[in-house]
Amino acid sequence: MTDILPSSPAASVASTTRRYRFATEVVTVDNSDDPHNAASVPIYQTATFKQKGATATGEYDYSRSGNPTRTHVENHLAKIMSAERALVVTSGMGALDVITRLVKTGEEIIAGDDLYGGTNRLLSFLAKSQNVKTHHIDTTKSDSILPYLSDKTRLVLLESPTNPLIKISDIPTISKYVHDRCPNALVVVDNTMMSPYLQRPLELGADISYHSGTKYLSGHHDLMAGVIGAKTASVGDELYYVINATGCGLSPFDSWLLLRGVKTLAVRMDKQQASCIRIADYLEAQGFKVHFPGLRSHPQYDLHASMASGPGAVLSFETGDTGISERIVEGTKLWSISVSFGCVNSLISMPCRMSHASIPAHIRAERSLPEDLIRLCVGIEDADDLLEDLEQALNIAGALPTPSK
Ligand SMILES: *Cc1c(COP(=O)(O)O)cnc(C)c1O
């Protein structure tokens, strides 16, 4: 049937349809147009759609261009991201690839200096292959962007908090600087660390917000996805054009998994965040230098609180010694040694050896990324178990002054 669902090329549900608080909206998926009243959106596992006649094309014809399961997850995500249109692709890096294709040779990108490793790799690739220069600046100081804004600026790429150093960027102030001076530039925020539950960059002045859907949105580390939210329909249309042209739209089954996972985002995040706050307090009390925007000691505590409704569930801390850090990471039993975050299970990692190893050592040093840094990504396990396991690992590693208990 061609008249049942809007096709992917149609604009997603406008943000004005949000009527309830986030935790209600995120679990309420509009599936009222289902011909059989299915309670869960079905998986339209089909590559092609039949036409009624030789010239009568329907809403859908080919799943690269649009698929009903993908449209449903896109509409749902648009609602919770306060986006005019949302689009889903095969990974978070795929999302950034789609966005950076809006930049032409000779135009410029301004980005932070504590970026996700894969983001650095893509930006270096663009510099080499397309002559698109990226200026890396300290986005914790909003004014540091001013000298780089010019008529060549096309994208301003922010992360807040950054990962793994948990630095905060002032999204409203930077957006205003960019929009006042560079009408052609788009402010893009990688909001993966916060999820739309805690922070919605489009409400703070950004033009595009994107996520690795592999993390909190899906929540179970069982799929890879990227999500892009556009503030205006015209930017959404440009991004859709790239997705259709390059063929990176999310498959029907992964779209379904993403929609299934996102419904529990609020309960997962509440639990993960509450445990992370306890663990941050514990580590700080032991004398470690802890990076977490939920601690009063965080230099940008107030700024973060003005933009987000919580500190999230990722923290990093320094031990002062890479050997000790290695022994802590290897001494935990409950925390899996793994890259990534946002999963229901807790993870521990050393960014310089793992997720950020693709950044050359001299650049890591330049950006003051400590080699001994440990990152904790807190899951939904019992918080007492997580704390006890961490404490025994700290003891084994000799990281605590005197073994407690
Ligand atoms: C994981 C991640 C990405 C990349 O997403 P993939 O789904 O792994 O491609 C981008 N940005 C941040 C902050 C991430 O954590």
Side-chain angles (χ1 to χ4, degrees):
M1 296 294 291
T2 58
D3 54 349
I4 290 171
L5 295 162
S7 70
S8 194
S12 304
V13 177
S15 49
T16 48
T17 55
R18 227 179 102 185
R19 283 165 299 162
Y20 298 102
R21 290 172 186 81
F22 191 96
T24 308
E25 290 287 4
V26 79
V27 76
T28 310
V29 176
D30 179 13
N31 193 25
S32 54
D33 50 13
D34 186 88
H36 306 292
N37 293 320
S40 160
V41 171
I43 307 170
Y44 284 83
Q45 190 65 39
T46 182
T48 51
F49 297 81
K50 292 183 216 169
Q51 296 184 193
K52 277 186 177 150
T55 53
T57 53
E59 300 272 1
Y60 297 100
D61 55 3
Y62 196 54
S63 279
R64 169 160 44 73
S65 309
N67 176 283
T69 314
R70 192 192 301 150
T71 303
H72 267 99
V73 73
E74 288 180 344
N75 287 345
H76 187 60
L77 289 165
K79 181 179 71 168
I80 65 167
M81 294 169 80
S82 300
E84 187 60 34
R85 184 168 187 181
L87 297 154
V88 294
V89 296
T90 52
S91 71
M93 290 321 304
L96 185 60
D97 178 44
V98 167
I99 296 164
T100 55
R101 283 176 196 247
L102 303 182
V103 187
K104 296 190 196 75
T105 296
E107 291 182 329
E108 295 181 350
I109 299 174
I110 303 173
D113 58 3
D114 179 33
L115 294 170
Y116 176 71
T119 300
N120 266 308
R121 181 164 42 212
L122 181 55
L123 294 176
S124 324
F125 175 77
L126 283 174
K128 277 187 231 121
S129 69
Q130 331 262 314
N131 192 23
V132 169
K133 185 173 172 53
T134 295
H135 301 282
H136 290 279
I137 60 157
D138 179 358
T139 50
T140 62
K141 299 185 186 74
S142 304
D143 289 358
S144 67
I145 198 172
L146 295 174
Y148 296 98
L149 291 173
S150 77
D151 51 10
K152 286 190 191 156
T153 310
R154 179 66 170 133
L155 298 183
V156 173
L157 181 57
L158 305 174
E159 287 180 35
S160 187
T162 63
N163 161 33
L165 285 177
I166 322 288
K167 296 200 233 164
I168 311 297
S169 309
D170 186 337
I171 300 170
T173 301
I174 293 177
S175 299
K176 191 168 179 329
Y177 283 161
V178 174
H179 293 142
D180 284 352
R181 284 152 218 246
C182 311
N184 183 41
L186 298 169
V187 177
V188 180
V189 178
D190 179 342
N191 196 40
T192 306
M193 286 273 282
M194 284 286 100
S195 88
Y197 179 40
L198 299 178
Q199 179 170 274
R200 289 176 294 282
L202 300 179
E203 293 176 4
L204 299 170
D207 303 290
I208 296 175
S209 165
Y210 75 99
H211 292 263
S212 166
T214 317
K215 317 288 168 60
Y216 289 111
L217 293 176
S218 59
H220 297 74
H221 278 183
D222 50 11
L223 81 138
M224 306 233 25
V227 175
I228 314 171
K231 182 145 87 183
T232 64
S234 65
V235 171
D237 288 350
E238 279 183 76
L239 295 166
Y240 168 74
Y241 184 89
V242 176
I243 292 169
N244 188 34
T246 59
C248 59
L250 196 61
S251 74
F253 183 60
D254 285 345
S255 296
W256 180 85
L257 273 177
L258 180 59
L259 184 58
R260 182 188 214 268
V262 80
K263 291 178 197 172
T264 55
L265 173 64
V267 279
R268 281 186 278 111
M269 190 55 109
D270 279 342
K271 169 84 177 164
Q272 289 172 264
Q273 178 170 264
S275 300
C276 195
I277 291 169
R278 271 188 66 189
I279 291 166
D281 286 341
Y282 165 79
L283 289 170
E284 193 169 58
Q286 305 306 313
F288 294 106
K289 177 161 191 204
V290 183
H291 305 269
F292 185 58
L295 291 172
R296 279 269 166 207
S297 58
H298 191 288
Q300 296 163 295
Y301 177 91
D302 291 324
L303 175 60
H304 180 76
S306 72
M307 298 188 294
S309 59
V314 176
L315 66 76
S316 61
F317 69 103
E318 297 173 37
T319 66
D321 183 301
T322 40
I324 290 181
S325 294
E326 268 166 34
R327 290 200 294 280
I328 295 170
V329 168
E330 285 169 5
T332 55
K333 299 189 174 77
L334 206 45
W335 301 74
S336 313
I337 306 176
S338 173
V339 295
S340 197
F341 59 86
C343 178
V344 287
N345 301 104
S346 292
L347 311 174
I348 189 166
S349 67
M350 283 181 76
C352 289
R353 302 283 155 89
M354 299 165 66
S355 52
H356 292 63
S358 63
I359 303 174
H362 70 278
I363 296 188
R364 293 202 300 258
E366 235 169 65
R367 297 185 189 164
S368 8
L369 191 59
E371 297 286 320
D372 62 319
L373 196 73
I374 296 180
R375 191 179 72 176
L376 297 178
C377 307
V378 180
I380 65 169
E381 301 92 340
D382 186 281
D384 290 328
D385 284 335
L386 290 174
L387 269 169
E388 281 166 26
D389 188 45
L390 190 59
E391 186 166 56
Q392 66 80 27
L394 293 170
N395 273 324
I396 291 175
L400 297 178
T402 46
S404 45
K405 275 178 262 167

